Short mmCIF file of all heavy atoms in Angstrom, two decimals:
data_model
loop_
_atom_site.label_atom_id
_atom_site.label_comp_id
_atom_site.label_asym_id
_atom_site.label_seq_id
_atom_site.Cartn_x
_atom_site.Cartn_y
_atom_site.Cartn_z
N MET A 91 100.53 189.20 47.67
CA MET A 91 100.12 187.81 47.85
C MET A 91 100.95 186.93 46.93
O MET A 91 101.04 187.20 45.73
CB MET A 91 98.62 187.63 47.52
CG MET A 91 98.16 186.17 47.58
SD MET A 91 96.62 185.85 46.68
CE MET A 91 95.44 186.58 47.80
N VAL A 92 101.55 185.88 47.47
CA VAL A 92 102.29 184.91 46.68
C VAL A 92 101.68 183.52 46.92
O VAL A 92 100.90 183.33 47.85
CB VAL A 92 103.79 184.91 47.02
CG1 VAL A 92 104.41 186.25 46.69
CG2 VAL A 92 104.02 184.56 48.50
N ASN A 93 102.04 182.56 46.06
CA ASN A 93 101.39 181.26 46.13
C ASN A 93 102.28 180.13 46.61
O ASN A 93 101.93 178.96 46.49
CB ASN A 93 100.79 180.90 44.76
CG ASN A 93 101.84 180.84 43.67
OD1 ASN A 93 103.04 180.95 43.93
ND2 ASN A 93 101.40 180.65 42.43
N SER A 94 103.46 180.47 47.15
CA SER A 94 104.31 179.43 47.73
C SER A 94 105.23 180.05 48.77
O SER A 94 105.55 181.25 48.71
CB SER A 94 105.14 178.74 46.64
OG SER A 94 106.13 179.61 46.12
N ASP A 95 105.67 179.24 49.73
CA ASP A 95 106.59 179.73 50.75
C ASP A 95 107.95 180.07 50.13
O ASP A 95 108.62 181.00 50.58
CB ASP A 95 106.76 178.67 51.85
CG ASP A 95 105.58 178.66 52.81
OD1 ASP A 95 105.02 179.74 53.08
OD2 ASP A 95 105.21 177.57 53.28
N SER A 96 108.36 179.30 49.13
CA SER A 96 109.65 179.57 48.50
C SER A 96 109.64 180.94 47.82
O SER A 96 110.63 181.68 47.88
CB SER A 96 110.00 178.47 47.50
OG SER A 96 109.01 178.35 46.50
N LEU A 97 108.53 181.29 47.21
CA LEU A 97 108.42 182.61 46.56
C LEU A 97 108.36 183.71 47.62
O LEU A 97 108.95 184.79 47.44
CB LEU A 97 107.19 182.64 45.67
CG LEU A 97 107.00 183.88 44.79
CD1 LEU A 97 108.25 184.21 44.00
CD2 LEU A 97 105.82 183.67 43.84
N LYS A 98 107.69 183.44 48.72
CA LYS A 98 107.65 184.43 49.80
C LYS A 98 109.05 184.71 50.33
O LYS A 98 109.45 185.88 50.49
CB LYS A 98 106.76 183.93 50.95
CG LYS A 98 106.72 184.88 52.14
CD LYS A 98 105.80 184.36 53.24
CE LYS A 98 105.82 185.31 54.44
NZ LYS A 98 104.91 184.87 55.52
N GLN A 99 109.82 183.67 50.56
CA GLN A 99 111.18 183.86 51.06
C GLN A 99 112.05 184.60 50.05
O GLN A 99 112.91 185.40 50.43
CB GLN A 99 111.80 182.51 51.42
CG GLN A 99 111.13 181.80 52.59
CD GLN A 99 111.01 182.69 53.82
OE1 GLN A 99 111.98 183.34 54.23
NE2 GLN A 99 109.81 182.75 54.40
N GLU A 100 111.82 184.33 48.78
CA GLU A 100 112.57 185.04 47.74
C GLU A 100 112.28 186.54 47.78
O GLU A 100 113.20 187.36 47.66
CB GLU A 100 112.21 184.46 46.37
CG GLU A 100 112.94 185.06 45.19
CD GLU A 100 114.44 184.76 45.20
OE1 GLU A 100 114.83 183.72 45.76
OE2 GLU A 100 115.20 185.58 44.65
N MET A 101 111.01 186.91 47.95
CA MET A 101 110.66 188.32 47.97
C MET A 101 111.12 189.00 49.26
O MET A 101 111.48 190.18 49.25
CB MET A 101 109.14 188.48 47.79
CG MET A 101 108.58 187.89 46.49
SD MET A 101 109.55 188.33 45.01
CE MET A 101 109.25 190.09 44.91
N LEU A 102 111.14 188.26 50.37
CA LEU A 102 111.57 188.85 51.64
C LEU A 102 113.06 189.19 51.67
O LEU A 102 113.51 189.89 52.58
CB LEU A 102 111.22 187.91 52.80
CG LEU A 102 109.74 187.84 53.18
CD1 LEU A 102 109.51 186.80 54.26
CD2 LEU A 102 109.20 189.21 53.63
N LYS A 103 113.80 188.72 50.68
CA LYS A 103 115.20 189.11 50.58
C LYS A 103 115.34 190.61 50.27
O LYS A 103 116.37 191.22 50.57
CB LYS A 103 115.90 188.30 49.49
CG LYS A 103 116.04 186.81 49.80
CD LYS A 103 116.67 186.08 48.62
CE LYS A 103 116.77 184.59 48.89
NZ LYS A 103 117.33 183.85 47.72
N HIS A 104 114.30 191.19 49.68
CA HIS A 104 114.31 192.61 49.31
C HIS A 104 113.70 193.42 50.46
O HIS A 104 112.54 193.86 50.40
CB HIS A 104 113.53 192.83 48.02
CG HIS A 104 114.01 191.98 46.88
ND1 HIS A 104 115.18 192.25 46.20
CD2 HIS A 104 113.50 190.86 46.32
CE1 HIS A 104 115.35 191.33 45.25
NE2 HIS A 104 114.35 190.48 45.30
N ARG A 105 114.48 193.61 51.52
CA ARG A 105 113.97 194.20 52.76
C ARG A 105 113.59 195.68 52.62
O ARG A 105 112.89 196.22 53.49
CB ARG A 105 115.00 194.02 53.87
CG ARG A 105 115.09 192.58 54.37
CD ARG A 105 113.81 192.20 55.10
NE ARG A 105 113.81 190.80 55.55
CZ ARG A 105 112.82 190.24 56.22
NH1 ARG A 105 111.74 190.95 56.51
NH2 ARG A 105 112.89 188.99 56.58
N LEU A 106 114.05 196.32 51.58
CA LEU A 106 113.68 197.73 51.39
C LEU A 106 112.19 197.87 51.11
O LEU A 106 111.59 198.90 51.43
CB LEU A 106 114.50 198.33 50.24
CG LEU A 106 114.26 199.81 49.92
CD1 LEU A 106 114.64 200.69 51.12
CD2 LEU A 106 115.06 200.23 48.69
N PHE A 107 111.60 196.82 50.52
CA PHE A 107 110.19 196.90 50.12
C PHE A 107 109.29 195.95 50.93
O PHE A 107 108.14 196.27 51.19
CB PHE A 107 110.04 196.54 48.63
CG PHE A 107 111.16 197.03 47.77
CD1 PHE A 107 112.04 196.15 47.17
CD2 PHE A 107 111.35 198.39 47.57
CE1 PHE A 107 113.08 196.59 46.38
CE2 PHE A 107 112.38 198.85 46.78
CZ PHE A 107 113.26 197.95 46.19
N PHE A 108 109.83 194.79 51.29
CA PHE A 108 108.98 193.73 51.83
C PHE A 108 109.39 193.33 53.25
O PHE A 108 110.58 193.38 53.61
CB PHE A 108 109.04 192.49 50.93
CG PHE A 108 108.62 192.74 49.52
CD1 PHE A 108 109.53 192.62 48.46
CD2 PHE A 108 107.32 193.12 49.22
CE1 PHE A 108 109.15 192.86 47.16
CE2 PHE A 108 106.92 193.37 47.91
CZ PHE A 108 107.84 193.24 46.88
N HIS A 109 108.39 192.93 54.01
CA HIS A 109 108.60 192.43 55.36
C HIS A 109 107.46 191.46 55.67
O HIS A 109 106.54 191.28 54.85
CB HIS A 109 108.64 193.59 56.37
CG HIS A 109 107.46 194.52 56.26
ND1 HIS A 109 106.22 194.25 56.82
CD2 HIS A 109 107.33 195.71 55.63
CE1 HIS A 109 105.39 195.23 56.57
NE2 HIS A 109 106.03 196.14 55.84
N ASP A 110 107.51 190.83 56.82
CA ASP A 110 106.51 189.81 57.15
C ASP A 110 105.09 190.37 57.23
O ASP A 110 104.12 189.61 57.14
CB ASP A 110 106.86 189.13 58.48
CG ASP A 110 108.01 188.15 58.34
OD1 ASP A 110 108.09 187.50 57.29
OD2 ASP A 110 108.83 188.04 59.28
N GLY A 111 104.98 191.68 57.38
CA GLY A 111 103.65 192.27 57.48
C GLY A 111 103.02 192.65 56.16
O GLY A 111 101.84 193.03 56.13
N ASN A 112 103.77 192.55 55.04
CA ASN A 112 103.14 192.90 53.76
C ASN A 112 103.34 191.85 52.66
O ASN A 112 103.05 192.12 51.50
CB ASN A 112 103.60 194.29 53.28
CG ASN A 112 105.05 194.32 52.81
OD1 ASN A 112 105.78 193.34 52.92
ND2 ASN A 112 105.47 195.47 52.28
N VAL A 113 103.83 190.67 53.03
CA VAL A 113 103.92 189.56 52.09
C VAL A 113 103.22 188.35 52.71
O VAL A 113 103.59 187.91 53.81
CB VAL A 113 105.39 189.19 51.76
CG1 VAL A 113 105.42 188.05 50.74
CG2 VAL A 113 106.15 190.40 51.24
N PHE A 114 102.24 187.80 52.01
CA PHE A 114 101.44 186.71 52.54
C PHE A 114 101.36 185.57 51.53
O PHE A 114 101.15 185.81 50.34
CB PHE A 114 100.03 187.18 52.89
CG PHE A 114 100.01 188.23 53.95
CD1 PHE A 114 100.10 189.58 53.62
CD2 PHE A 114 99.92 187.88 55.29
CE1 PHE A 114 100.09 190.56 54.59
CE2 PHE A 114 99.91 188.86 56.28
CZ PHE A 114 99.99 190.20 55.94
N ARG A 115 101.54 184.37 51.99
CA ARG A 115 101.42 183.18 51.15
C ARG A 115 100.02 182.59 51.26
O ARG A 115 99.55 182.29 52.33
CB ARG A 115 102.45 182.12 51.54
CG ARG A 115 102.49 180.92 50.59
CD ARG A 115 101.57 179.80 51.06
NE ARG A 115 102.05 179.21 52.28
CZ ARG A 115 101.24 178.63 53.17
NH1 ARG A 115 99.94 178.61 52.99
NH2 ARG A 115 101.74 178.10 54.27
N VAL A 116 99.34 182.46 50.11
CA VAL A 116 98.06 181.76 50.03
C VAL A 116 98.19 180.73 48.93
O VAL A 116 98.33 181.09 47.75
CB VAL A 116 96.89 182.73 49.73
CG1 VAL A 116 95.59 181.93 49.60
CG2 VAL A 116 96.76 183.79 50.82
N TYR A 117 98.17 179.46 49.29
CA TYR A 117 98.28 178.42 48.28
C TYR A 117 97.06 178.45 47.36
O TYR A 117 95.94 178.71 47.80
CB TYR A 117 98.34 177.03 48.93
CG TYR A 117 99.66 176.67 49.56
CD1 TYR A 117 99.72 176.07 50.81
CD2 TYR A 117 100.86 176.92 48.90
CE1 TYR A 117 100.94 175.71 51.39
CE2 TYR A 117 102.08 176.57 49.47
CZ TYR A 117 102.11 175.97 50.72
OH TYR A 117 103.31 175.63 51.28
N ASN A 118 97.29 178.17 46.07
CA ASN A 118 96.17 177.99 45.16
C ASN A 118 95.38 176.77 45.59
O ASN A 118 95.95 175.72 45.89
CB ASN A 118 96.67 177.79 43.72
CG ASN A 118 97.34 179.04 43.18
OD1 ASN A 118 97.09 180.14 43.64
ND2 ASN A 118 98.21 178.87 42.20
N GLY A 119 94.06 176.88 45.60
CA GLY A 119 93.22 175.80 46.10
C GLY A 119 92.56 175.01 44.98
O GLY A 119 92.27 175.55 43.91
N PHE A 120 92.30 173.75 45.27
CA PHE A 120 91.65 172.88 44.29
C PHE A 120 90.67 171.96 45.00
O PHE A 120 90.92 171.49 46.10
CB PHE A 120 92.68 172.05 43.52
CG PHE A 120 93.55 172.90 42.64
CD1 PHE A 120 94.71 173.45 43.12
CD2 PHE A 120 93.16 173.19 41.34
CE1 PHE A 120 95.50 174.27 42.33
CE2 PHE A 120 93.94 174.00 40.54
CZ PHE A 120 95.11 174.54 41.04
N ASP A 121 89.56 171.72 44.33
CA ASP A 121 88.61 170.74 44.81
C ASP A 121 88.99 169.37 44.27
O ASP A 121 89.26 169.22 43.08
CB ASP A 121 87.18 171.07 44.33
CG ASP A 121 86.51 172.08 45.24
OD1 ASP A 121 86.79 172.07 46.45
OD2 ASP A 121 85.72 172.90 44.73
#
């Protein structure tokens, strides 16, 4: 789980470990 799309794209560069099915972006939420 990552907290930004930019971080998700950074991790997806490492295709040996990561792919669209095991990296998910969830923004930190605030009231």
